Amino acid sequence: MKNFIKQAKSKSSLYCKAKKSLLLAFAAVAAFSTATAQQKTTLSAEVYGYQKEMVYFDCIQSPFIAQEFHTNPGEQHIYSFECDNLICMTINGRVNVLLQPGDSLHVNVNYDGKKVKVEYSGTERAVNNNRLIKNIETIKNSMRYKSQLLGCVALDIKPKKRIDDSRALLEKAGAAIERSAASAEAKNYVAAMIDYDAYMSFIEYPVMYESVRGLKIAEQEIGDYWTIAEGYVTRTDAEALSCPEYASLLMRYCFYMNEKAAKESGKQYKMPQRFEEMFKEIAAFYSGEQRDVLLYTLLRNFIMNGQEIERADALYKEYIEKYNANPFYKSILDSLLQ
């Protein structure tokens, strides 16, 4: 298995290199803000079985919300901060925790080899929101649904099975979200994460499988690749747009739809590889808040990559003058460019 993974990575190197900028953007940190007054929010955790020196709390939506502690089993690591919308915190980059303004949540984290067990206590809304995340993970585990697409290729999971499993995940997770006592905001965020899993599998997996395994999409028994995401309505709610995984789906969906349109008109299409090309294509495809967050995401990650930052200057100016509506995005970019 290890040898195959190495081989798969090697065979897909050109595929990955062609989308280097895109993959950087997929690691984006999105953020959003409204007129909601900020409230004190508290996250605490006890961590057991963790072998590293430090315990890290990091906010996916804002680099300004973060804390670290020396690992000490049995000690409560407590962090209070202010936020004005739902955010997702990570504990050691492994455990996702949803918090809303005014929440207080305590998490018991137990490392058992490669497995991590979590238990929640605290304010009712916070507990309900995070039990939804746990329930979704239970559904995925019961389905043996893997998150990493390259891992699926390495295990030779056929595209038809991956797509069938993704459709089943949409159905099962949708039912779990509907039954949940979680807040509407948490449900929106979790639904966006499920959309990422499913629709990236629809759009990206057949292409990846062809690149690594050599089996052409037309021979993968998945039907018409160009209708596989037909009817999908992209999300515009604030919680979805604050989810970095969903931002990556929106980017990939843009290129998929543009390639589809090109084929229908008999034209050639090449997925954008350069930062500037991606910026131009996304700016033309999306509008409003979707365009705002995606262009911010591209700029932020290009700048943080730390190479040829001067290339961002012209596009930063265009973004601020034409597309930026969220002042928080501008404040992050300004701080990175200083």
Side-chain angles (χ1 to χ4, degrees):
M1 177 59 67
K2 290 181 179 178
N3 289 336
F4 180 81
I5 291 175
K6 290 180 180 179
Q7 184 181 23
K9 288 181 178 178
S10 176
K11 290 180 70 177
S12 64
S13 61
L14 292 177
Y15 171 80
C16 295
K17 185 177 180 180
K19 298 194 298 178
K20 182 178 178 182
S21 296
L22 178 62
L23 293 175
L24 286 171
F26 284 3
V29 175
F32 65 97
S33 61
T34 68
T36 306
Q38 290 195 341
Q39 297 181 45
K40 182 179 179 181
T41 305
T42 300
L43 172 63
S44 63
E46 294 175 49
V47 181
Y48 300 92
Y50 187 60
Q51 301 302 314
K52 296 185 179 180
E53 182 179 351
M54 303 295 291
V55 170
Y56 296 96
F57 292 177
D58 293 290
C59 178
I60 289 176
Q61 283 70 36
S62 173
F64 301 140
I65 301 176
Q67 189 59 273
E68 59 184 53
F69 310 87
H70 286 283
T71 301
N72 188 4
E75 180 180 330
Q76 286 196 32
H77 306 304
I78 303 172
Y79 179 42
S80 293
F81 53 90
E82 291 185 340
C83 63
D84 55 12
N85 287 285
L86 179 142
I87 62 170
C88 183
M89 299 286 290
T90 65
I91 301 176
N92 295 332
R94 181 82 180 270
V95 176
N96 287 335
V97 178
L98 294 182
L99 292 165
Q100 292 184 250
D103 281 353
S104 179
L105 183 72
H106 182 75
V107 187
N108 275 333
V109 183
N110 285 276
Y111 288 81
D112 182 11
K114 293 183 178 181
K115 296 181 179 179
V116 181
K117 299 178 181 179
V118 295
E119 296 293 337
Y120 310 104
S121 59
T123 53
E124 182 178 8
R125 180 178 64 183
V127 171
N128 288 337
N129 288 351
N130 287 283
R131 282 179 178 166
L132 174 58
I133 289 184
K134 189 175 181 180
N135 289 343
I136 296 300
E137 287 302 315
T138 299
I139 290 171
K140 288 183 178 181
N141 290 338
S142 70
M143 296 174 62
R144 296 184 178 180
Y145 189 91
K146 296 188 176 297
S147 298
Q148 299 297 323
L149 292 182
L150 186 57
C152 293
V153 178
L155 292 171
D156 198 17
I157 296 174
K158 299 297 189 287
K160 184 179 186 303
K161 175 172 172 52
R162 178 65 181 189
I163 288 169
D164 288 346
D165 286 348
S166 296
R167 288 180 174 137
L169 177 65
L170 281 172
E171 183 177 347
K172 292 179 180 181
I177 291 169
E178 186 175 347
R179 292 193 305 265
S180 172
S183 69
E185 294 84 0
K187 289 182 177 182
N188 285 343
Y189 193 92
V190 173
M193 294 179 70
I194 296 301
D195 275 11
Y196 166 79
D197 286 326
Y199 284 91
M200 283 295 281
S201 296
F202 296 163
I203 295 170
E204 186 75 354
Y205 193 60
V207 178
M208 183 181 292
Y209 193 90
E210 179 182 66
S211 174
V212 177
R213 289 281 182 177
L215 183 65
K216 294 186 179 301
I217 292 176
E219 300 172 4
Q220 292 176 7
E221 301 180 344
I222 63 172
D224 184 0
Y225 172 71
W226 298 110
T227 64
I228 201 164
E230 196 167 62
Y232 180 62
V233 178
T234 58
R235 297 177 182 272
T236 58
D237 58 90
E239 293 78 34
L241 296 184
S242 78
C243 176
E245 292 88 354
Y246 195 70
S248 73
L249 171 60
L250 289 179
M251 291 182 193
R252 186 63 180 91
Y253 182 76
C254 165
F255 306 143
Y256 168 81
M257 293 300 290
N258 282 344
E259 184 175 5
K260 179 182 178 181
K263 286 185 176 294
E264 289 174 346
S265 61
K267 298 178 181 179
Q268 292 291 321
Y269 176 85
K270 183 178 180 182
M271 184 182 293
Q273 301 176 26
R274 289 176 56 83
F275 163 62
E276 293 84 355
E277 296 168 344
M278 294 170 64
F279 185 99
K280 180 179 179 181
E281 193 159 330
I282 288 170
F285 187 83
Y286 288 108
S287 62
E289 293 177 347
Q290 288 180 323
R291 177 168 57 193
D292 191 4
V293 70
L294 294 179
L295 296 182
Y296 156 74
T297 293
L298 283 174
L299 283 163
R300 181 187 188 279
N301 284 274
F302 185 83
I303 295 166
M304 290 186 69
N305 190 41
Q307 297 181 0
E308 299 182 285
I309 296 176
E310 65 279 0
R311 288 169 57 192
D313 291 342
L315 293 183
Y316 167 79
K317 182 179 180 181
E318 180 180 349
Y319 166 69
I320 295 301
E321 291 178 351
K322 293 184 178 181
Y323 308 123
N324 175 245
N326 190 325
F328 183 76
Y329 301 158
K330 183 178 184 300
S331 70
I332 295 292
L333 294 177
D334 287 345
S335 67
L336 291 174
L337 289 169
Q338 286 179 356

